[in-house]
Amino acid sequence: MSERKIKCVVWDLDNTLWDGVLLEDGEVTLNEACAQAVRVLDERGILHSIASRNDPEAAMAQLKRFGMDEYFLHPQIGWEAKSESIAAIRQALNIGIDTFAFVDDQPFEREEVAFRHPEVLCLDAVEAAELPGRPEFTPSTVTPDARARREMYRSGIQRDQAEREFGGTPKEFLSSLDMTFTIFEAEEDDLPRAEELTVRTNQLNSTGITYSLDEIREYAGAPDRLLLMAELDDKYGSYGRIGLALVDCGQETWTLKLLLMSCRVISRGVGTILLHHIMRLARDNGVRLQAEFRETPRNRAMFVTYRLAGFTRVAEGADDVAVLESDLGRIPPAPDHLRLRIGQRA
Amino acid sequence: MRTSNDERTALREFLEPRLPSTGWSDDEDLFDAGLVDSFMAMEIVTFIEGHLGTAVPDEEIDIANFRTIDAIAALMERLG
């Protein structure tokens, strides 16, 4: 179980995050051990939420007085069973149930959650101070994207709300986001995120082959190789570094070994921008452009992307990897609903 | 019995909210006009498969079959 990593901690409030019972005592004090655990784990990119039987308005107002309200995503404050609350948070965050921990002072609540969700790590409130020292709460690397993860989720929540309330067409909504798509050559700082993308991205992934940090490092800065990454920002904030391309740059032919795009941006109309950029680079360098594609159970969207960008299958390689090639004849410009920036990061 | 007009109507009902509402004709090049990117195309593939209840074979995933409303409707007719 030492491999297990927690991505979200769900906290009880009364006699856990604060000492006292809000609706009975009226006045409660912040439990510093729990508050400190929240702050430290937040820095590591671990998310927090709440499952509390309480009056929602009074409880949120109290969190605000403690300056803690912004740490919690999708807080569930009401009279539901806590197992229900955790199921709702899991659905809203779209992460695995086995990446959840639940902290509550009451054995009954912990047992109720453990019964319904045996995969959840259930802890007593008195153990809160030990959380940052436990391996499940210690990610192997903390990338800047991980540290900003809470902010990304928060801006995502605002964006989703704006989209639901938007009166126009999806295309008009995209234009209203004021997006900037930046493509840059990855540097040492970017490599952990590049590795993370090869592991975490399933749908928009041209081969599903994962790369270790060392393998990725071989692409950064090599004269005959290219490691490009892409970042997306809009008026609500950053989506982080969401795209990656590994290219072998031969004398006559470039080979796109891996192309991927995070599903965070799947509905943003940005999926072909990085590919079209590489097609333009190949054309400007006077080389042919081939791309490797390996079918996985989930990456058909990437096959469609290549095919509709004009790539055709030219060879079957080893290990089920097909080779596609583009004639570089028609390369559409970037869509007009965003700004494209090359080579300089925000 | 299904006619090509039914396909076209369903296709337009699917596409219209996803595209700018400026008038575009059945033979207008959606890719050149910047109206469709590849992910939009994936949505179209999914729509066709849901509508017809059959998979679009890999060899039919070709830009020529997706360039215009006419081309997509013809593809649907062929597969339907």
PDB file of all heavy atoms in Angstrom, chain A residues 72-99:
ATOM      1  N   PHE A  72     -11.154  24.733   0.051  1.00  0.00           N
ATOM      2  CA  PHE A  72     -12.028  23.573  -0.106  1.00  0.00           C
ATOM      3  C   PHE A  72     -12.841  23.631  -1.401  1.00  0.00           C
ATOM      4  O   PHE A  72     -13.535  24.601  -1.662  1.00  0.00           O
ATOM      5  CB  PHE A  72     -12.955  23.459   1.105  1.00  0.00           C
ATOM      6  CG  PHE A  72     -12.194  23.320   2.387  1.00  0.00           C
ATOM      7  CD1 PHE A  72     -11.984  24.423   3.213  1.00  0.00           C
ATOM      8  CD2 PHE A  72     -11.631  22.101   2.739  1.00  0.00           C
ATOM      9  CE1 PHE A  72     -11.252  24.302   4.381  1.00  0.00           C
ATOM     10  CE2 PHE A  72     -10.888  21.976   3.903  1.00  0.00           C
ATOM     11  CZ  PHE A  72     -10.702  23.082   4.731  1.00  0.00           C
ATOM     12  N   LEU A  73     -12.745  22.541  -2.182  1.00  0.00           N
ATOM     13  CA  LEU A  73     -13.479  22.444  -3.444  1.00  0.00           C
ATOM     14  C   LEU A  73     -14.729  21.601  -3.220  1.00  0.00           C
ATOM     15  O   LEU A  73     -14.678  20.574  -2.547  1.00  0.00           O
ATOM     16  CB  LEU A  73     -12.611  21.770  -4.506  1.00  0.00           C
ATOM     17  CG  LEU A  73     -11.274  22.462  -4.809  1.00  0.00           C
ATOM     18  CD1 LEU A  73     -10.421  21.571  -5.713  1.00  0.00           C
ATOM     19  CD2 LEU A  73     -11.498  23.810  -5.470  1.00  0.00           C
ATOM     20  N   HIS A  74     -15.828  22.032  -3.794  1.00  0.00           N
ATOM     21  CA  HIS A  74     -17.093  21.283  -3.722  1.00  0.00           C
ATOM     22  C   HIS A  74     -17.464  20.848  -2.294  1.00  0.00           C
ATOM     23  O   HIS A  74     -17.758  19.669  -2.057  1.00  0.00           O
ATOM     24  CB  HIS A  74     -17.039  20.052  -4.636  1.00  0.00           C
ATOM     25  CG  HIS A  74     -16.700  20.375  -6.059  1.00  0.00           C
ATOM     26  ND1 HIS A  74     -17.574  21.013  -6.900  1.00  0.00           N
ATOM     27  CD2 HIS A  74     -15.565  20.176  -6.777  1.00  0.00           C
ATOM     28  CE1 HIS A  74     -16.997  21.179  -8.080  1.00  0.00           C
ATOM     29  NE2 HIS A  74     -15.782  20.689  -8.033  1.00  0.00           N
ATOM     30  N   PRO A  75     -17.417  21.768  -1.309  1.00  0.00           N
ATOM     31  CA  PRO A  75     -17.759  21.375   0.062  1.00  0.00           C
ATOM     32  C   PRO A  75     -19.184  20.846   0.152  1.00  0.00           C
ATOM     33  O   PRO A  75     -20.102  21.398  -0.453  1.00  0.00           O
ATOM     34  CB  PRO A  75     -17.608  22.685   0.853  1.00  0.00           C
ATOM     35  CG  PRO A  75     -17.687  23.777  -0.159  1.00  0.00           C
ATOM     36  CD  PRO A  75     -17.141  23.197  -1.437  1.00  0.00           C
ATOM     37  N   GLN A  76     -19.361  19.756   0.900  1.00  0.00           N
ATOM     38  CA  GLN A  76     -20.679  19.141   1.077  1.00  0.00           C
ATOM     39  C   GLN A  76     -21.100  19.365   2.523  1.00  0.00           C
ATOM     40  O   GLN A  76     -20.663  18.654   3.430  1.00  0.00           O
ATOM     41  CB  GLN A  76     -20.612  17.641   0.778  1.00  0.00           C
ATOM     42  CG  GLN A  76     -20.051  17.313  -0.602  1.00  0.00           C
ATOM     43  CD  GLN A  76     -20.996  17.727  -1.719  1.00  0.00           C
ATOM     44  OE1 GLN A  76     -22.175  17.398  -1.677  1.00  0.00           O
ATOM     45  NE2 GLN A  76     -20.485  18.457  -2.701  1.00  0.00           N
ATOM     46  N   ILE A  77     -21.911  20.384   2.728  1.00  0.00           N
ATOM     47  CA  ILE A  77     -22.350  20.722   4.079  1.00  0.00           C
ATOM     48  C   ILE A  77     -23.866  20.635   4.102  1.00  0.00           C
ATOM     49  O   ILE A  77     -24.544  21.340   3.348  1.00  0.00           O
ATOM     50  CB  ILE A  77     -21.872  22.138   4.470  1.00  0.00           C
ATOM     51  CG1 ILE A  77     -20.343  22.232   4.330  1.00  0.00           C
ATOM     52  CG2 ILE A  77     -22.312  22.467   5.896  1.00  0.00           C
ATOM     53  CD1 ILE A  77     -19.789  23.631   4.494  1.00  0.00           C
ATOM     54  N   GLY A  78     -24.403  19.738   4.931  1.00  0.00           N
ATOM     55  CA  GLY A  78     -25.848  19.525   4.956  1.00  0.00           C
ATOM     56  C   GLY A  78     -26.134  18.366   5.867  1.00  0.00           C
ATOM     57  O   GLY A  78     -25.443  18.192   6.874  1.00  0.00           O
ATOM     58  N   TRP A  79     -27.103  17.535   5.490  1.00  0.00           N
ATOM     59  CA  TRP A  79     -27.490  16.464   6.397  1.00  0.00           C
ATOM     60  C   TRP A  79     -27.416  15.097   5.718  1.00  0.00           C
ATOM     61  O   TRP A  79     -27.967  14.116   6.194  1.00  0.00           O
ATOM     62  CB  TRP A  79     -28.879  16.753   6.977  1.00  0.00           C
ATOM     63  CG  TRP A  79     -28.880  18.120   7.567  1.00  0.00           C
ATOM     64  CD1 TRP A  79     -29.390  19.256   7.002  1.00  0.00           C
ATOM     65  CD2 TRP A  79     -28.278  18.536   8.798  1.00  0.00           C
ATOM     66  NE1 TRP A  79     -29.141  20.339   7.804  1.00  0.00           N
ATOM     67  CE2 TRP A  79     -28.466  19.933   8.922  1.00  0.00           C
ATOM     68  CE3 TRP A  79     -27.589  17.870   9.822  1.00  0.00           C
ATOM     69  CZ2 TRP A  79     -27.991  20.669  10.000  1.00  0.00           C
ATOM     70  CZ3 TRP A  79     -27.122  18.607  10.902  1.00  0.00           C
ATOM     71  CH2 TRP A  79     -27.327  19.986  10.986  1.00  0.00           C
ATOM     72  N   GLU A  80     -26.690  15.041   4.605  1.00  0.00           N
ATOM     73  CA  GLU A  80     -26.508  13.776   3.893  1.00  0.00           C
ATOM     74  C   GLU A  80     -25.582  12.845   4.670  1.00  0.00           C
ATOM     75  O   GLU A  80     -24.755  13.303   5.459  1.00  0.00           O
ATOM     76  CB  GLU A  80     -25.817  14.032   2.548  1.00  0.00           C
ATOM     77  CG  GLU A  80     -26.561  14.936   1.594  1.00  0.00           C
ATOM     78  CD  GLU A  80     -27.704  14.237   0.916  1.00  0.00           C
ATOM     79  OE1 GLU A  80     -27.563  13.023   0.660  1.00  0.00           O
ATOM     80  OE2 GLU A  80     -28.730  14.879   0.679  1.00  0.00           O
ATOM     81  N   ALA A  81     -25.679  11.547   4.384  1.00  0.00           N
ATOM     82  CA  ALA A  81     -24.665  10.609   4.877  1.00  0.00           C
ATOM     83  C   ALA A  81     -23.320  11.024   4.290  1.00  0.00           C
ATOM     84  O   ALA A  81     -23.238  11.486   3.146  1.00  0.00           O
ATOM     85  CB  ALA A  81     -25.014   9.186   4.448  1.00  0.00           C
ATOM     86  N   LYS A  82     -22.252  10.861   5.063  1.00  0.00           N
ATOM     87  CA  LYS A  82     -20.934  11.315   4.582  1.00  0.00           C
ATOM     88  C   LYS A  82     -20.436  10.470   3.409  1.00  0.00           C
ATOM     89  O   LYS A  82     -19.674  10.956   2.588  1.00  0.00           O
ATOM     90  CB  LYS A  82     -19.954  11.322   5.741  1.00  0.00           C
ATOM     91  CG  LYS A  82     -20.450  12.271   6.833  1.00  0.00           C
ATOM     92  CD  LYS A  82     -19.363  12.952   7.585  1.00  0.00           C
ATOM     93  CE  LYS A  82     -19.997  13.974   8.550  1.00  0.00           C
ATOM     94  NZ  LYS A  82     -18.988  14.716   9.301  1.00  0.00           N
ATOM     95  N   SER A  83     -20.884   9.218   3.341  1.00  0.00           N
ATOM     96  CA  SER A  83     -20.507   8.413   2.176  1.00  0.00           C
ATOM     97  C   SER A  83     -21.096   9.035   0.899  1.00  0.00           C
ATOM     98  O   SER A  83     -20.458   9.019  -0.153  1.00  0.00           O
ATOM     99  CB  SER A  83     -21.012   6.981   2.344  1.00  0.00           C
ATOM    100  OG  SER A  83     -22.417   6.966   2.488  1.00  0.00           O
ATOM    101  N   GLU A  84     -22.309   9.594   1.014  1.00  0.00           N
ATOM    102  CA  GLU A  84     -22.928  10.281  -0.124  1.00  0.00           C
ATOM    103  C   GLU A  84     -22.123  11.522  -0.493  1.00  0.00           C
ATOM    104  O   GLU A  84     -21.911  11.821  -1.665  1.00  0.00           O
ATOM    105  CB  GLU A  84     -24.355  10.746   0.237  1.00  0.00           C
ATOM    106  CG  GLU A  84     -25.391   9.662   0.304  1.00  0.00           C
ATOM    107  CD  GLU A  84     -25.672   9.069  -1.062  1.00  0.00           C
ATOM    108  OE1 GLU A  84     -25.559   9.795  -2.071  1.00  0.00           O
ATOM    109  OE2 GLU A  84     -25.981   7.869  -1.107  1.00  0.00           O
ATOM    110  N   SER A  85     -21.725  12.268   0.525  1.00  0.00           N
ATOM    111  CA  SER A  85     -20.952  13.484   0.282  1.00  0.00           C
ATOM    112  C   SER A  85     -19.672  13.155  -0.470  1.00  0.00           C
ATOM    113  O   SER A  85     -19.298  13.837  -1.426  1.00  0.00           O
ATOM    114  CB  SER A  85     -20.602  14.168   1.607  1.00  0.00           C
ATOM    115  OG  SER A  85     -21.781  14.515   2.292  1.00  0.00           O
ATOM    116  N   ILE A  86     -18.999  12.088  -0.035  1.00  0.00           N
ATOM    117  CA  ILE A  86     -17.738  11.724  -0.683  1.00  0.00           C
ATOM    118  C   ILE A  86     -17.991  11.278  -2.123  1.00  0.00           C
ATOM    119  O   ILE A  86     -17.233  11.623  -3.035  1.00  0.00           O
ATOM    120  CB  ILE A  86     -17.001  10.654   0.152  1.00  0.00           C
ATOM    121  CG1 ILE A  86     -16.479  11.332   1.429  1.00  0.00           C
ATOM    122  CG2 ILE A  86     -15.863  10.022  -0.641  1.00  0.00           C
ATOM    123  CD1 ILE A  86     -15.850  10.405   2.434  1.00  0.00           C
ATOM    124  N   ALA A  87     -19.077  10.556  -2.346  1.00  0.00           N
ATOM    125  CA  ALA A  87     -19.409  10.150  -3.721  1.00  0.00           C
ATOM    126  C   ALA A  87     -19.631  11.393  -4.599  1.00  0.00           C
ATOM    127  O   ALA A  87     -19.190  11.438  -5.756  1.00  0.00           O
ATOM    128  CB  ALA A  87     -20.647   9.260  -3.724  1.00  0.00           C
ATOM    129  N   ALA A  88     -20.297  12.414  -4.042  1.00  0.00           N
ATOM    130  CA  ALA A  88     -20.555  13.638  -4.817  1.00  0.00           C
ATOM    131  C   ALA A  88     -19.255  14.375  -5.131  1.00  0.00           C
ATOM    132  O   ALA A  88     -19.055  14.876  -6.240  1.00  0.00           O
ATOM    133  CB  ALA A  88     -21.507  14.552  -4.042  1.00  0.00           C
ATOM    134  N   ILE A  89     -18.353  14.430  -4.167  1.00  0.00           N
ATOM    135  CA  ILE A  89     -17.066  15.115  -4.380  1.00  0.00           C
ATOM    136  C   ILE A  89     -16.250  14.362  -5.436  1.00  0.00           C
ATOM    137  O   ILE A  89     -15.661  14.956  -6.331  1.00  0.00           O
ATOM    138  CB  ILE A  89     -16.269  15.203  -3.055  1.00  0.00           C
ATOM    139  CG1 ILE A  89     -17.039  16.050  -2.035  1.00  0.00           C
ATOM    140  CG2 ILE A  89     -14.877  15.784  -3.298  1.00  0.00           C
ATOM    141  CD1 ILE A  89     -16.568  15.858  -0.592  1.00  0.00           C
ATOM    142  N   ARG A  90     -16.261  13.037  -5.325  1.00  0.00           N
ATOM    143  CA  ARG A  90     -15.524  12.215  -6.290  1.00  0.00           C
ATOM    144  C   ARG A  90     -16.013  12.480  -7.711  1.00  0.00           C
ATOM    145  O   ARG A  90     -15.246  12.645  -8.635  1.00  0.00           O
ATOM    146  CB  ARG A  90     -15.680  10.730  -5.965  1.00  0.00           C
ATOM    147  CG  ARG A  90     -14.682   9.844  -6.689  1.00  0.00           C
ATOM    148  CD  ARG A  90     -15.221   8.457  -6.937  1.00  0.00           C
ATOM    149  NE  ARG A  90     -16.189   8.452  -8.009  1.00  0.00           N
ATOM    150  CZ  ARG A  90     -15.894   8.498  -9.307  1.00  0.00           C
ATOM    151  NH1 ARG A  90     -14.644   8.549  -9.685  1.00  0.00           N
ATOM    152  NH2 ARG A  90     -16.838   8.489 -10.207  1.00  0.00           N
ATOM    153  N   GLN A  91     -17.327  12.562  -7.846  1.00  0.00           N
ATOM    154  CA  GLN A  91     -17.881  12.792  -9.177  1.00  0.00           C
ATOM    155  C   GLN A  91     -17.514  14.188  -9.693  1.00  0.00           C
ATOM    156  O   GLN A  91     -17.162  14.352 -10.853  1.00  0.00           O
ATOM    157  CB  GLN A  91     -19.399  12.628  -9.137  1.00  0.00           C
ATOM    158  CG  GLN A  91     -19.966  12.526 -10.529  1.00  0.00           C
ATOM    159  CD  GLN A  91     -21.459  12.239 -10.528  1.00  0.00           C
ATOM    160  OE1 GLN A  91     -22.111  12.290  -9.482  1.00  0.00           O
ATOM    161  NE2 GLN A  91     -21.992  11.954 -11.686  1.00  0.00           N
ATOM    162  N   ALA A  92     -17.576  15.178  -8.811  1.00  0.00           N
ATOM    163  CA  ALA A  92     -17.273  16.548  -9.233  1.00  0.00           C
ATOM    164  C   ALA A  92     -15.803  16.703  -9.621  1.00  0.00           C
ATOM    165  O   ALA A  92     -15.468  17.409 -10.567  1.00  0.00           O
ATOM    166  CB  ALA A  92     -17.636  17.530  -8.123  1.00  0.00           C
ATOM    167  N   LEU A  93     -14.904  16.034  -8.902  1.00  0.00           N
ATOM    168  CA  LEU A  93     -13.474  16.174  -9.184  1.00  0.00           C
ATOM    169  C   LEU A  93     -13.005  15.194 -10.247  1.00  0.00           C
ATOM    170  O   LEU A  93     -11.937  15.386 -10.831  1.00  0.00           O
ATOM    171  CB  LEU A  93     -12.652  15.949  -7.910  1.00  0.00           C
ATOM    172  CG  LEU A  93     -12.807  16.992  -6.803  1.00  0.00           C
ATOM    173  CD1 LEU A  93     -12.006  16.567  -5.579  1.00  0.00           C
ATOM    174  CD2 LEU A  93     -12.331  18.359  -7.280  1.00  0.00           C
ATOM    175  N   ASN A  94     -13.792  14.131 -10.473  1.00  0.00           N
ATOM    176  CA  ASN A  94     -13.447  13.128 -11.469  1.00  0.00           C
ATOM    177  C   ASN A  94     -12.087  12.484 -11.202  1.00  0.00           C
ATOM    178  O   ASN A  94     -11.235  12.410 -12.093  1.00  0.00           O
ATOM    179  CB  ASN A  94     -13.501  13.757 -12.880  1.00  0.00           C
ATOM    180  CG  ASN A  94     -13.490  12.705 -13.966  1.00  0.00           C
ATOM    181  OD1 ASN A  94     -13.850  11.552 -13.715  1.00  0.00           O
ATOM    182  ND2 ASN A  94     -13.064  13.079 -15.154  1.00  0.00           N
ATOM    183  N   ILE A  95     -11.870  12.054  -9.956  1.00  0.00           N
ATOM    184  CA  ILE A  95     -10.656  11.298  -9.612  1.00  0.00           C
ATOM    185  C   ILE A  95     -11.078  10.010  -8.904  1.00  0.00           C
ATOM    186  O   ILE A  95     -12.204   9.903  -8.433  1.00  0.00           O
ATOM    187  CB  ILE A  95      -9.674  12.128  -8.744  1.00  0.00           C
ATOM    188  CG1 ILE A  95     -10.375  12.649  -7.494  1.00  0.00           C
ATOM    189  CG2 ILE A  95      -9.065  13.275  -9.536  1.00  0.00           C
ATOM    190  CD1 ILE A  95      -9.473  13.458  -6.576  1.00  0.00           C
ATOM    191  N   GLY A  96     -10.162   9.052  -8.844  1.00  0.00           N
ATOM    192  CA  GLY A  96     -10.503   7.716  -8.330  1.00  0.00           C
ATOM    193  C   GLY A  96     -10.844   7.730  -6.848  1.00  0.00           C
ATOM    194  O   GLY A  96     -10.258   8.488  -6.069  1.00  0.00           O
ATOM    195  N   ILE A  97     -11.766   6.858  -6.439  1.00  0.00           N
ATOM    196  CA  ILE A  97     -12.198   6.801  -5.039  1.00  0.00           C
ATOM    197  C   ILE A  97     -11.035   6.365  -4.146  1.00  0.00           C
ATOM    198  O   ILE A  97     -10.948   6.745  -2.975  1.00  0.00           O
ATOM    199  CB  ILE A  97     -13.426   5.857  -4.888  1.00  0.00           C
ATOM    200  CG1 ILE A  97     -14.049   5.983  -3.494  1.00  0.00           C
ATOM    201  CG2 ILE A  97     -13.085   4.417  -5.204  1.00  0.00           C
ATOM    202  CD1 ILE A  97     -14.810   7.252  -3.250  1.00  0.00           C
ATOM    203  N   ASP A  98     -10.100   5.579  -4.704  1.00  0.00           N
ATOM    204  CA  ASP A  98      -8.969   5.112  -3.879  1.00  0.00           C
ATOM    205  C   ASP A  98      -7.916   6.194  -3.667  1.00  0.00           C
ATOM    206  O   ASP A  98      -6.894   5.961  -3.047  1.00  0.00           O
ATOM    207  CB  ASP A  98      -8.329   3.865  -4.510  1.00  0.00           C
ATOM    208  CG  ASP A  98      -7.825   4.130  -5.920  1.00  0.00           C
ATOM    209  OD1 ASP A  98      -8.205   5.160  -6.508  1.00  0.00           O
ATOM    210  OD2 ASP A  98      -7.045   3.303  -6.425  1.00  0.00           O
ATOM    211  N   THR A  99      -8.153   7.421  -4.197  1.00  0.00           N
ATOM    212  CA  THR A  99      -7.225   8.519  -3.956  1.00  0.00           C
ATOM    213  C   THR A  99      -7.775   9.475  -2.894  1.00  0.00           C
ATOM    214  O   THR A  99      -7.260  10.564  -2.714  1.00  0.00           O
ATOM    215  CB  THR A  99      -6.935   9.307  -5.249  1.00  0.00           C
ATOM    216  OG1 THR A  99      -8.159   9.933  -5.691  1.00  0.00           O
ATOM    217  CG2 THR A  99      -6.403   8.409  -6.355  1.00  0.00           C
TER     218      THR A  99
END
